[in-house]
Amino acid sequence: MEENTLDLLSSLPDEILGRIISFLPSESALQTSFLSTRWASLWNTVLVQHGTTEAAVTAISEFLTHFDELNPLRQPRRLQYHFGKGSANILLATIAANNKLHMELSTGKQEFQKQFDWQLGLNHQSLTDQPSSSSFFVKTLFLKSVGFQSKEAVSSIVSNFQFLESLKIIECNGLQTLEIDSSPRLKSLTIFDCPQLKSLFIRSLKLRSFRYRGLLPRLLTENHFNLKDAMLDFRQGPCDNSFGSNDFDPSLLTIKNAEILTLCKWTFEKLIWPSISYLHGNFQFYRLKELWWIDNSSEGYNSDALISFLKLCPALEQLFVTVDTKSYSMPITTTYSKKVARHSKLEHLKVVKLVGFTNEEDELLLAVHLTKLAVKELLIIATADGICLRSLVKVHLYQPKLNQTHVKYTHNYKFVEENGDINELCVNHAHMGL
Amino acid sequence: MASSSTSVVVSNKEKENKNTKKVTLKSSDGESFEVDESVAMESQTIKHIIEDGHYSSLALSLSVKTTMASSSTSVVVSNKEKENKNTKKVTLKSSDGESFEVDESVAMESQTIKHIIEDGCANNEIPLPNVTSGILSRVIEYCKKHKEAAGESEPSVTSYTSNSTTNPLTEWDTEFVKVDQNTLFDLILAANYLDIKGLLDLTCKTVADMMKGKTPQEIRETFHIKNDYTPEEEAEVRKENQWAFE
């Protein structure tokens, strides 16, 4: 057999590569775009259309209907729709496997984004005359950079997606208040990086996952729901300093049964602890298994808040602590009860990862404290730059005491650099890297 | 001989059959024989009756006794068989000048060749400048095998229950594509040029199977694809598409 080192595959014509790709499972088909720029160009054909704001709904509908999930290269997976005054608004819609749709808005000119309020209704029947005959039912929707000029068009388009299960809204500059009226189908809501958002009103019956990153807005919910997955990355602080724990109580009830949680230290200190401190540890996060705690360290690291919280989490298995020196910190003097709560030991804790500690001593102190709280043998990993992983090991020291006849072994700990298989140790919280 | 030919031809027709018209011939003593219209029209008498439309869809009464009718049937049938032996052949010429004589029906597995023949342009040889002799001989092998399999008598019971993995044709196909990459890609290009859907799907699926379950780096190594992304570009592309994999 002769040695073949030529890339014959890439030189096949586009239609044939398309046919080959149609035999790949749809989730991994898009990965072929990473092979080389020639392969990426297969996936990047864009259908360009111009039209009115009103016609945007139909344009998207047709675009979705024509897409062939089983043969993803047959039709373009991207639509660039120009609309509005002077066709300045551009909607770029991209389809991906598993009923995902990504819509990104942009305006030609770098205009100042006017502040706006947005009411997004997801439980209406089709508002247009066209029956929703789209064979591609959008289940997951990403909306990026929606602005005051594009919100009406986007609202009309989105109200047709009756099967929507997951909605992600990112980087909407100017968005001031957001009201989401959703159907019981919507299970997951994510809002990231909308810097002007002051108020969020959710009308939802069965939300199971809520992820938020940005300043804490005024949160209003019409119904109660039990979140399984909650990411409350309010590390930049509250929108309004007058927020108190009373305002946060309804939200607290939604996260009480969460299994996966991201929480900032200041949120716990200012908004949660005051409501529950009188309960003396009887308010428990019974189901919490995976916790990401975002801390700040002003002068010296103080682990009181973290330890108090951990005492409320009897089922915890994995703990991730990130020290973000830029995160909001409050000069609060909260005292935490030293009383031993009902569940003061963490029986299920197995893994701890410490990220971003600037002071090694603080890091070590916390690590040792955690090993004392845990029942099982803990794996503790630390990293400051994200690359160099160190893990905690016990160092047995033989310390003869002068006045005693029996010798005492003192267990000391230190962090040792890991050179072995890093992949095994590279655990991350589910919300990290989003 | 006659009776065995009857069974062969009839069951072939049965396969195609969901669409061919049938007529029922009824002998004078009441026995009915259902045959394909085309077979029945070997008889000029019956042919005229059918063409004139003077019959019900069910029966043609013939003043012929049963035994006579059945022997006519078998004669008719074996006549058709004889005709088959005189099938037309075409000659295909590869890019390197080698000629291959094949049955026309086999050659027509290729839509490209089929159109050339139907357009009446296939007088002497059909030149195929894009296909070398080595590849052409394999392609012909594929077409022959698949034509045979389509024509073979298989009792209808097993054809519904046969699992594609134990189907002997699938096994043959699997062996057929166990070739080096050069040959595989040449087969793809030939199947594309000659427009043979089955072969194109088979070879493309084979390549897809070689890609399944591999990381992009592993796929590059298998097919010697050069990664022409800069690290920044690669990170950018991954970031842009991250949502699609979440």
Side-chain angles (χ1 to χ4, degrees):
Chain A
M1 204 163 85
E2 28 175 273
E3 187 61 49
N4 167 38
T5 51
L6 290 175
D7 178 9
L8 298 172
L9 179 59
S10 303
S11 58
L12 291 175
D14 287 359
E15 317 84 61
I16 294 185
L17 290 182
R19 192 180 280 249
I20 292 173
I21 285 171
S22 73
F23 287 111
L24 290 173
S26 48
E27 297 81 20
S28 43
L30 181 59
Q31 288 196 354
T32 53
S33 65
F34 299 143
L35 291 173
S36 73
T37 54
R38 186 260 184 282
W39 286 82
S41 68
L42 287 173
W43 290 93
N44 290 339
T45 21
V46 181
L47 182 65
V48 181
Q49 286 181 354
H50 293 250
T52 62
T53 310
E54 294 75 31
V57 185
T58 321
I60 291 277
S61 237
E62 279 176 12
F63 168 62
L64 292 174
T65 312
H66 288 140
F67 183 72
D68 185 350
E69 273 198 89
L70 296 175
N71 193 347
L73 288 182
R74 194 171 63 86
Q75 298 285 347
R77 65 175 185 127
R78 288 194 153 144
L79 168 68
Q80 196 183 69
Y81 187 79
H82 296 244
F83 65 102
K85 247 196 246 176
S87 282
N89 291 305
I90 304 173
L91 162 62
L92 179 63
T94 310
I95 300 178
N98 294 331
N99 307 88
K100 294 199 184 100
L101 181 66
H102 186 284
M103 299 208 299
E104 181 171 348
L105 280 302
S106 59
T107 52
K109 304 176 250 183
Q110 293 286 8
E111 280 178 5
F112 168 70
Q113 279 290 356
K114 203 165 122 184
Q115 305 240 337
F116 67 103
D117 303 327
W118 196 14
Q119 195 173 5
L120 196 49
L122 298 172
N123 64 356
H124 303 306
Q125 290 303 308
S126 174
L127 298 176
T128 62
D129 295 335
Q130 272 98 20
S132 133
S133 60
S134 173
S135 58
F136 181 91
F137 298 114
V138 179
K139 284 197 185 146
T140 306
L141 178 64
F142 295 80
L143 294 177
K144 187 171 171 187
S145 298
V146 178
F148 82 98
Q149 281 176 338
S150 45
K151 68 163 184 163
E152 289 305 331
V154 175
S155 292
S156 314
I157 294 169
V158 176
S159 65
N160 274 346
F161 297 153
Q162 297 168 45
F163 297 93
L164 200 60
E165 291 174 8
S166 171
L167 175 63
K168 190 162 174 177
I169 297 177
I170 44 183
E171 293 172 31
C172 296
N173 286 314
L175 180 61
Q176 221 175 198
T177 69
L178 176 60
E179 191 177 316
I180 299 185
D181 219 335
S182 86
S183 77
R185 284 209 177 91
L186 190 71
K187 296 276 186 296
S188 168
L189 175 65
T190 303
I191 300 176
F192 281 171
D193 312 322
C194 297
Q196 283 84 35
L197 190 61
K198 291 193 177 65
S199 163
L200 175 62
F201 190 173
I202 302 173
R203 280 206 188 96
S204 154
L205 297 172
K206 289 191 178 158
L207 212 54
R208 295 288 280 156
S209 162
F210 176 69
R211 294 173 179 180
Y212 190 94
R213 183 170 64 211
L215 290 165
L216 169 64
R218 184 169 298 280
L219 287 171
L220 298 159
T221 53
E222 189 178 73
N223 307 87
H224 170 70
F225 43 84
N226 273 316
L227 291 173
K228 188 174 165 206
D229 181 317
M231 177 175 176
L232 308 178
D233 187 347
F234 306 132
R235 70 178 87 184
Q236 295 167 43
C239 255
D240 185 340
N241 271 311
S242 70
F243 284 166
S245 60
N246 290 334
D247 303 310
F248 195 74
D249 278 347
S251 308
L252 175 59
L253 290 176
T254 63
I255 64 171
K256 185 175 189 294
N257 293 317
E259 289 178 22
I260 304 179
L261 178 66
T262 295
L263 188 64
C264 293
K265 171 171 151 182
W266 78 263
T267 310
F268 175 68
E269 281 187 320
K270 184 168 179 189
L271 301 176
I272 297 181
W273 184 249
S275 296
I276 63 175
S277 60
Y278 73 95
L279 293 167
H280 299 297
N282 283 333
F283 184 99
Q284 302 256 310
F285 293 85
Y286 283 112
R287 302 226 179 110
L288 188 55
K289 293 201 181 122
E290 216 178 298
L291 171 66
W292 185 19
W293 179 266
I294 300 178
D295 218 314
N296 57 274
S297 69
S298 19
E299 329 81 30
Y301 180 72
N302 183 325
S303 62
D304 286 350
L306 171 59
I307 302 297
S308 301
F309 185 76
L310 290 179
K311 291 183 177 165
L312 306 173
C313 308
L316 195 64
E317 292 174 14
Q318 296 189 0
L319 171 64
F320 301 80
V321 182
T322 296
V323 170
D324 184 347
T325 48
K326 288 181 271 174
S327 101
Y328 177 80
S329 67
M330 307 164 354
I332 255 205
T333 49
T334 312
T335 50
Y336 295 100
S337 167
K338 296 287 183 205
K339 243 199 237 175
V340 173
R342 203 191 320 161
H343 303 280
S344 54
K345 284 278 186 184
L346 298 169
E347 287 170 32
H348 302 276
L349 189 60
K350 294 182 285 211
V351 176
V352 175
K353 189 169 180 185
L354 307 175
V355 180
F357 278 77
T358 48
N359 183 326
E360 277 185 26
E361 219 177 275
D362 288 338
E363 197 179 58
L364 195 56
L365 274 172
L366 177 61
V368 172
H369 197 151
L370 290 171
T371 53
K372 295 206 165 68
L373 274 182
V375 166
K376 293 192 179 158
E377 177 102 17
L378 273 191
L379 169 63
I380 303 189
I381 310 164
T383 169
D385 53 11
I387 303 169
C388 226
L389 289 172
R390 290 162 287 127
S391 64
L392 192 71
V393 293
K394 267 188 207 167
V395 176
H396 293 261
L397 281 186
Y398 171 59
Q399 276 188 345
K401 292 275 177 184
L402 295 171
N403 299 329
Q404 289 166 335
T405 49
H406 58 274
V407 294
K408 226 182 183 172
Y409 282 100
T410 311
H411 296 284
N412 272 356
Y413 292 88
K414 66 174 187 177
F415 275 102
V416 169
E417 210 165 290
E418 272 293 337
N419 291 319
D421 189 356
I422 300 218
N423 286 330
E424 267 175 23
L425 296 175
C426 242
V427 274
N428 271 328
H429 187 276
H431 298 159
M432 286 174 164
L434 284 182
Chain B
M1 269 289 273
S3 49
S4 57
S5 338
T6 315
S7 55
V8 168
V9 174
V10 167
S11 58
N12 262 351
K13 284 241 168 258
E14 247 176 42
K15 262 201 167 154
E16 286 171 45
N17 221 356
K18 318 301 175 191
N19 302 326
T20 43
K21 274 175 94 179
K22 287 187 174 297
V23 294
T24 307
L25 310 175
K26 194 167 169 196
S27 65
S28 59
D29 46 349
E31 205 170 328
S32 294
F33 298 84
E34 199 186 41
V35 293
D36 282 346
E37 196 183 81
S38 55
V39 169
M41 304 234 283
E42 285 287 303
S43 152
Q44 293 298 311
T45 311
I46 295 176
K47 183 167 181 261
H48 290 139
I49 293 174
I50 291 174
E51 281 172 3
D52 290 348
H54 290 160
Y55 71 106
S56 72
S57 57
L58 293 176
L60 286 172
S61 288
L62 298 174
S63 55
V64 178
K65 288 192 184 160
T66 310
T67 47
M68 281 288 279
S70 52
S71 59
S72 329
T73 315
S74 55
V75 168
V76 166
V77 164
S78 57
N79 266 348
K80 268 242 171 273
E81 255 235 307
K82 278 208 183 125
E83 253 183 76
N84 284 341
K85 297 215 164 69
N86 298 330
T87 41
K88 286 174 81 176
K89 292 203 183 279
V90 293
T91 307
L92 308 174
K93 193 164 171 193
S94 69
S95 60
D96 47 340
E98 212 178 303
S99 294
F100 296 82
E101 198 187 46
V102 291
D103 285 352
E104 190 183 87
S105 58
V106 168
M108 305 239 280
E109 287 281 295
S110 154
Q111 295 298 306
T112 308
I113 293 176
K114 180 166 184 272
H115 292 139
I116 293 175
I117 292 174
E118 282 170 352
D119 289 348
C121 303
N123 297 320
N124 306 316
E125 293 184 325
I126 299 177
L128 301 172
N130 290 358
V131 192
T132 62
S133 55
I135 297 297
L136 185 55
S137 65
R138 284 184 197 262
V139 171
I140 290 171
E141 205 187 318
Y142 175 90
C143 293
K144 269 194 191 151
K145 181 69 182 181
H146 278 248
K147 191 75 195 170
E148 261 170 40
E152 239 161 47
S153 63
E154 273 170 25
S156 52
V157 173
T158 56
S159 69
Y160 287 121
T161 58
S162 73
N163 187 342
S164 63
T165 54
T166 57
N167 182 344
L169 191 59
T170 314
E171 281 175 25
W172 187 90
D173 281 349
T174 309
E175 283 308 307
F176 181 78
V177 286
K178 281 187 183 162
V179 293
D180 60 274
Q181 276 189 28
N182 264 328
T183 309
L184 184 60
F185 293 127
D186 283 341
L187 281 171
I188 290 180
L189 290 169
N192 188 43
Y193 170 65
L194 294 171
D195 196 356
I196 305 172
K197 186 175 190 299
L199 181 57
L200 187 57
D201 281 344
L202 171 64
T203 45
C204 285
K205 185 170 192 300
T206 306
V207 176
D209 288 343
M210 288 162 76
M211 292 167 76
K212 262 185 208 168
K214 293 196 165 109
T215 64
Q217 183 52 30
E218 285 164 351
I219 296 175
R220 286 191 202 115
E221 279 162 22
T222 307
F223 296 101
H224 315 285
I225 300 176
K226 184 171 190 301
N227 179 4
D228 59 348
Y229 280 117
T230 65
E232 296 81 29
E233 280 171 350
E234 189 162 358
E236 179 73 36
V237 169
R238 280 183 187 273
K239 184 161 176 257
E240 256 174 34
N241 286 311
Q242 192 189 1
W243 65 273
F245 297 109
E246 259 171 32

